[in-house]
């Protein structure tokens, strides 16, 4: 948070130095003292402070200045900072002007020159004025601000991005928040530029991509080395675990994540069955801890950045990124994870990001205050989202096709849901259609052959997952559903008998058909969809990387 400013103004250099010295001596711990040698210079500083959204607590201006008198300086400054305290510094002969200025310039006080000793003639008055200013002062939000429309898919994308990286931000709805409109006008932008991200230094980014925001907030999107020992593709639990163990064991390690850290687990509002956290923690918190740990141990992380191609050249693995750059490595660990399957009903594509969301319960929960929301799916992710949304929403409806949650959800979640009065389970139900002009307004629910229209603020979809491996299936062997085949699956199944590319040994446990390329986590065929197992596989993969590199 920037310190509030005390502005002192006087055209006499000696007087200005004296007042500047006395103010700093008494107030520098809590305030920033700024000096101006003329009235016009002072007003330029005031305009700059206003543009940079820095707080101005008090202006102390001399009355007799040749270009602009002190009363006029205080009057004009009041237009931009009406709450700032205004003090006129006068000689005895200017007392009458100072008294008139109490009304005309809304003067708070006037001080006679000289003010020596300041402990008696200056500080008590200023302390009283500043105490009054502090009581009324509401500090402006000092972090990143996002201005947009509530129902804009691009605004939702940026909210989800900032939340995923645990960047504290303030959401300002252009249609309902006067501050949003004022801030936009101050940046000389219009509604056509939305969404707008305003950074801590005041820089405004009009309709930016997540990558543009990432670059400005200090994330790394370009590799720093020409060659790595191991590159981990994916920053979910498996990928971050591989990054931690790879870096800690001395490997030159790079992790590349295309969206936000944590993968699907990172969107979980509460994980209560992860070892070592008896009270639970959010997926984003777990991902942030692992991210910090990997970086501290020496791993390099590119995010958001996406790998679009993978090939082998002279034994090295060459990765092509979306920006056209290439990264060369000796070994690769694929931890690309899975993504939520889409719900194929009328209206879904049109309203995606405008009331219809895949995951994103934490991002949009507050906007569901005292509204009805619907969740499709019966897995743990759906249950965790329901518990989180129930804190804000009036009612939460969980739609499942079967009779109960017992076959797909952990017992502890089923018990919690049963004890939450504003969560209702709708068995034998599915979404037939979603309706709304520019945002979700209704869902059409099909139950036992009957259709029912229901008002809805939001629909959250958790209906299973598909592996994010489309880009690599031409290079390595995947099963019919797109999951990566590894280890013994490559040599025991006759369909893939010729896929393994090393003539002198069998593949290691997590190794794909290409020697030196490993897979871990949810995108691997046969993997268990649990955070703990993904972390275990990511850690194990580093052991096999060592064995491969030692060949």
């Amino acid at each position: 948070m920037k310190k509030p400013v005390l502005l002192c103004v006087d055209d006499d250099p000696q007087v200005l130095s004296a007042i500047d010295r006395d103010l700093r001596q008494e107030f520098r711990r809590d305030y920033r003292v700024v000096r101006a040698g003329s009235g016009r210079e002072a007003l330029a500083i005031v305009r700059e402070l206003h543009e940079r959204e820095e707080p101005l607590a008090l202006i102390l201006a001399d009355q007799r200045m040749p270009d602009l008198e002190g009363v006029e300086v205080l009057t004009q400054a009041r237009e931009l900072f009406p709450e700032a305290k205004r003090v006129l510094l006068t000689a005895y002969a200017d007392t009458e002007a100072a008294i008139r200025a109490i009304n005309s310039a809304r003067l708070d006080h006037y001080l006679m020159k000289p003010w020596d000793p300041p402990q008696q003639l200056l500080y008590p008055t200023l302390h009283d004025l500043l105490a009054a200013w502090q009581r009324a002062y509401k500090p402006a939000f000092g972090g990143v601000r996002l201005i947009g429309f509530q129902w804009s898919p691009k605004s939702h994308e940026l909210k989800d991005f900032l939340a995923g990286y645990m960047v504290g931000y303030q959401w300002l709805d252009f249609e309902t928040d006067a501050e949003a409109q004022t801030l936009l006008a101050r940046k000389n932008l219009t509604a056509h530029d939305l969404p707008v991200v305003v950074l801590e230094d005041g820089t405004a980014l009009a309709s930016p991509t997540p990558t543009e925001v990432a670059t400005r907030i200090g994330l790394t999107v370009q590799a720093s080395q020409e060659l790595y020992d191991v590159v981990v593709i994916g920053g979910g639990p498996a990928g971050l675990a591989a990054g931690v163990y790879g870096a800690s064991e001395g490997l030159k390690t790079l992790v590349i994540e295309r969206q936000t850290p944590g993968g699907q687990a990172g969107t979980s509002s509460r994980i209560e069955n992860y070892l070592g956290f008896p009270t639970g923690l959010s997926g984003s918190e777990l991902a942030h801890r692992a991210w910090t740990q990997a970086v501290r141990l020496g791993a390099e992380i590119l995010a958001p950045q996406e790998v679009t191609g993978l090939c082998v050249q002279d034994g090295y693995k060459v990765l092509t990124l979306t920006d056209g750059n290439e990264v060369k490595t000796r070994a690769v660990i694929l931890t690309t994870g899975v993504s939520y399957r889409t719900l194929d009903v009328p209206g879904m594509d049109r309203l995606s990001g405008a009331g219809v969301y895949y995951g994103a319960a934490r991002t949009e929960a507050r906007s569901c205050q005292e509204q009805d929301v619907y969740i499709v799916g019966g897995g743990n992710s759906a249950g965790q989202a329901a518990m989180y949304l129930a804190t804000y929403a009036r009612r939460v409806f969980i739609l499942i096709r079967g009779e109960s949650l017992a076959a797909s959800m952990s017992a502890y979640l089923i018990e919690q849901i049963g004890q939450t009065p504003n969560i209702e389970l709708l068995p034998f139900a599915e979404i037939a259609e979603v309706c709304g002009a520019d945002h979700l307004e209704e869902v059409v629910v099909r139950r036992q052959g009957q259709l029912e229209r229901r008002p809805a603020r939001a629909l959250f979809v958790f209906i299973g997952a598909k592996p994010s491996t489309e880009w690599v299936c031409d290079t390595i062997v995947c099963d019919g559903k797109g999951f990566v085949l590894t280890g013994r699956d490559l040599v025991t199944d006759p369909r893939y008998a010729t896929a393994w590319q090393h003539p002198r040994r069998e593949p290691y446990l997590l190794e794909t058909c290409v020697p030196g390329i490993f897979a871990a986590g949810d995108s691997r065929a046969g993997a268990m969809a649990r955070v703990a197992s993904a972390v275990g596989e990511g850690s194990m993969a580093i052991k096999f990387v060592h064995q491969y590199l030692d060949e």
Side-chain angles (χ1 to χ4, degrees):
M1 185 67 66
K2 297 174 181 177
K3 289 183 179 181
V5 170
L6 308 182
L7 176 60
C8 52
V9 191
D10 202 304
D11 65 318
D12 186 326
Q14 290 185 331
V15 175
L16 183 60
S17 294
I19 189 68
D20 178 76
R21 178 201 64 218
D22 289 343
L23 290 178
R24 290 179 188 277
Q25 182 175 326
E26 182 72 6
F27 299 103
R28 64 184 175 189
R29 189 182 70 174
D30 300 314
Y31 298 89
R32 182 163 68 93
V33 179
V34 178
R35 57 196 286 178
S38 69
R40 299 194 185 282
E41 182 185 352
L43 292 178
I45 291 172
V46 168
R47 286 190 290 270
E48 183 180 356
L49 292 174
H50 185 261
E51 185 175 332
R52 291 162 50 181
E53 300 178 73
E54 294 191 44
L56 177 62
L58 180 141
I59 311 176
L60 178 62
D62 183 54
Q63 168 61 8
R64 287 200 177 187
M65 293 185 291
D67 63 334
L68 209 61
E69 289 188 338
V71 170
E72 184 61 26
V73 172
L74 298 176
T75 301
Q76 292 190 37
R78 183 173 177 271
E79 296 176 5
L80 296 180
F81 289 95
E83 304 302 325
K85 298 301 178 181
R86 292 168 294 282
V87 179
L88 192 67
L89 193 60
T90 69
Y92 182 79
D94 298 322
T95 304
E96 186 177 342
I99 294 173
R100 288 198 306 268
I102 292 176
N103 292 325
S104 63
R106 302 287 182 90
L107 197 67
D108 292 296
H109 205 84
Y110 69 90
L111 291 171
M112 303 288 292
K113 295 188 290 187
W115 56 86
D116 190 55
Q119 290 79 6
Q120 298 177 17
L121 301 179
L122 179 66
Y123 297 154
T125 298
L126 296 189
H127 273 299
D128 288 344
L129 291 173
L130 290 172
W133 179 83
Q134 285 283 3
R135 285 193 293 270
Y137 172 55
K138 181 182 178 181
F141 182 79
V144 175
R145 283 168 290 179
L146 173 58
I147 308 171
F149 296 107
Q150 176 59 49
W151 304 113
S152 162
K154 191 162 186 180
S155 293
H156 167 70
E157 179 187 24
L158 289 171
K159 282 195 286 186
D160 220 25
F161 169 78
L162 291 170
Y165 284 93
M166 298 191 76
V167 176
Y169 73 95
Q170 182 184 41
W171 163 248
L172 300 173
D173 190 333
F174 180 77
E175 295 179 307
T176 61
D177 199 318
E179 183 182 352
Q181 301 176 29
T182 301
L183 182 57
L184 207 64
R186 189 179 297 161
K187 302 299 180 181
N188 296 317
L189 298 171
T190 69
H192 297 292
D193 298 304
L194 296 177
V196 169
V197 174
V198 182
L199 304 175
E200 292 186 46
D201 63 1
T203 303
L205 308 177
S207 193
T209 65
T211 301
E212 291 171 332
V213 176
T215 302
R216 299 303 296 269
I217 64 176
L219 297 177
T220 303
V221 296
Q222 298 289 336
S224 65
Q225 306 290 327
E226 294 183 359
L227 177 65
Y228 293 87
D229 293 320
V230 59
V231 171
V232 183
I233 304 176
L240 291 173
V244 166
Y245 279 87
S248 68
E249 294 177 15
L251 297 178
K252 190 180 294 183
T253 305
L254 174 68
V255 180
I256 304 176
E257 168 55 43
R258 66 174 181 173
Q259 293 176 328
T260 54
Q264 195 177 61
T267 66
S268 295
S269 51
R270 202 73 185 164
I271 301 172
E272 297 192 56
N273 57 355
Y274 187 65
L275 184 67
F277 293 88
T279 60
L281 77 169
S282 70
S284 59
E285 184 182 359
L286 177 62
H288 183 71
R289 288 173 181 237
W291 178 292
T292 303
Q293 188 177 19
V295 171
R296 183 180 67 82
L297 291 170
E300 183 180 341
I301 300 181
L302 302 188
Q305 183 60 272
E306 185 174 1
V307 181
T308 58
L310 168 61
C311 65
V312 180
Q313 295 179 0
D314 300 325
Y316 293 102
K317 285 71 180 171
V318 180
L319 309 177
T320 304
L321 308 181
T322 48
D323 58 10
N325 290 322
E326 291 185 343
V327 175
K328 185 178 291 187
T329 178
R330 299 168 66 194
V332 170
I333 302 176
L334 298 172
T335 59
T336 52
V338 293
S339 57
Y340 288 113
R341 294 189 182 278
T342 56
L343 187 61
D344 188 16
V345 300
M348 288 294 293
D349 291 341
R350 184 171 57 84
L351 297 178
S352 181
V356 173
Y357 308 106
Y358 292 92
R362 287 179 61 85
T363 304
E364 296 295 340
R366 292 184 182 276
S367 67
C368 300
Q369 195 81 35
E370 295 302 316
Q371 303 287 325
D372 290 351
V373 301
Y374 288 77
I375 293 174
V376 181
N380 278 6
S381 294
Q384 291 158 354
M387 291 301 301
Y388 188 77
L389 289 165
T391 306
Y392 302 93
R394 178 173 56 193
R395 290 182 299 175
V396 178
F397 297 94
I398 303 176
L399 281 68
I400 58 173
R401 291 183 175 182
E403 180 180 4
S404 74
L405 297 168
S408 56
M409 190 179 292
S410 296
Y412 78 91
L413 272 173
I414 297 175
E415 182 179 357
Q416 290 178 1
I417 288 170
Q419 295 173 351
T420 307
N422 63 332
I423 299 180
E424 182 179 343
L425 179 67
L426 300 180
F428 306 112
E430 61 183 356
I431 296 293
E433 186 180 357
V434 293
C435 308
D438 60 349
H439 66 276
L440 179 69
E441 299 175 28
E442 291 181 328
V443 295
V444 179
V445 178
R446 181 185 291 114
R447 296 186 72 187
Q448 298 177 335
Q450 301 295 316
L451 295 179
E452 180 183 358
R453 286 184 175 269
R454 292 169 168 245
R457 166 60 182 76
L459 172 67
F460 297 90
V461 181
F462 302 87
I463 56 171
K466 59 179 181 178
S468 304
T469 56
E470 306 90 349
W471 62 277
V472 79
C473 283
D474 290 338
T475 305
I476 60 176
V477 175
C478 301
D479 67 12
K481 296 181 179 180
F483 291 93
V484 179
L485 292 169
T486 59
R488 294 290 298 170
D489 289 343
L490 292 168
V491 294
T492 57
D493 193 323
R495 292 175 298 174
Y496 311 115
T498 61
W500 173 238
Q501 299 176 16
H502 197 300
R504 296 186 299 276
R505 65 168 175 86
E506 289 190 352
Y508 297 123
L509 182 61
L510 300 179
E511 198 166 20
T512 69
C513 66
V514 180
I517 299 180
F518 303 85
D522 290 355
S523 62
R524 189 183 68 82
M528 181 184 295
R530 291 290 184 271
V531 176
S533 63
V535 170
E537 288 193 9
S539 307
M540 287 169 54
I542 293 299
K543 167 184 166 56
F544 299 123
V545 168
H546 278 297
Q547 292 180 346
Y548 169 76
L549 295 179
D550 290 340
E551 290 179 354

